[in-house]
Amino acid sequence: MTEEFVDYAGRTEPKERWLKALPLIVAALLGIPCLALAIMFSLSIAQVTSYIFDIGTSGLEATAMVLLSLSGAFCVIFWLAFLFIGSRRRTWKWRLWWAGAALLAAGIMPLWWLVFGYY
C-alpha cells in the first residue's frame, strides 16, 4: 500500500489543525489589549493602595485593595489556563467554549470598569 492511502491515527492535515485552533487564536489576539488594560488598572490600584495603607485602613478595605491590585495577574493566569485547556480539547464545541472563557477572563476587568464607573 502506498503512503497516500495510509491513514495514521490521530494525524490531521495542517490546514485542519489551523482551522481547529482558530477560535483560540482569535481569543488570544483579542485578549491581549484587554489584558494590557487590566494590568494598567492593577498597577494604578497598587499605587493607590500604598497611600491607603499609609493613612490607615480597616482589614476588609486593605484586603479588597490588595485583591484589586492582583486582579490583572489573576486575569493573565486564567487567560493562559483557559487557552491551554482549550488547546487540549478535540471538538469544536469545547474549543469555542474555552475560547469564550479565555476572552471573558481577559476582558473581565475592562467590563468591570464600565459597569462600576472606574473608566
Side-chain angles (χ1 to χ4, degrees), residues 13 17 20 24 31 56 63 73 78 81-82 93 95-96 99 101-102:
E13 294 293 324
R17 279 186 281 167
K20 285 178 83 173
L24 296 170
T63 303
F78 284 120
F82 293 157
K93 181 176 109 175
R95 284 182 182 257
L96 287 172

Side-chain angles (χ1 to χ4, degrees), residues 42-112:
S42 293
L43 290 175
S44 65
I45 291 293
Q47 291 172 349
V48 170
T49 301
S50 66
Y51 295 121
I52 288 177
F53 285 151
D54 289 342
I55 62 172
T57 186
S58 68
L60 182 62
E61 290 174 351
T63 303
M65 293 302 285
V66 168
L67 288 176
L68 278 176
S69 64
L70 293 174
S71 61
F74 290 146
C75 288
V76 171
I77 290 169
F78 284 120
W79 178 71
L80 287 173
F82 293 157
L83 287 176
F84 177 75
I85 293 168
S87 70
R88 299 294 168 221
R89 302 295 177 232
R90 295 195 186 275
T91 62
W92 273 94
K93 181 176 109 175
W94 284 106
R95 284 182 182 257
L96 287 172
W97 276 106
W98 286 107
L103 192 57
L104 183 66
I108 195 74
M109 290 305 293
L111 286 174
W112 188 65

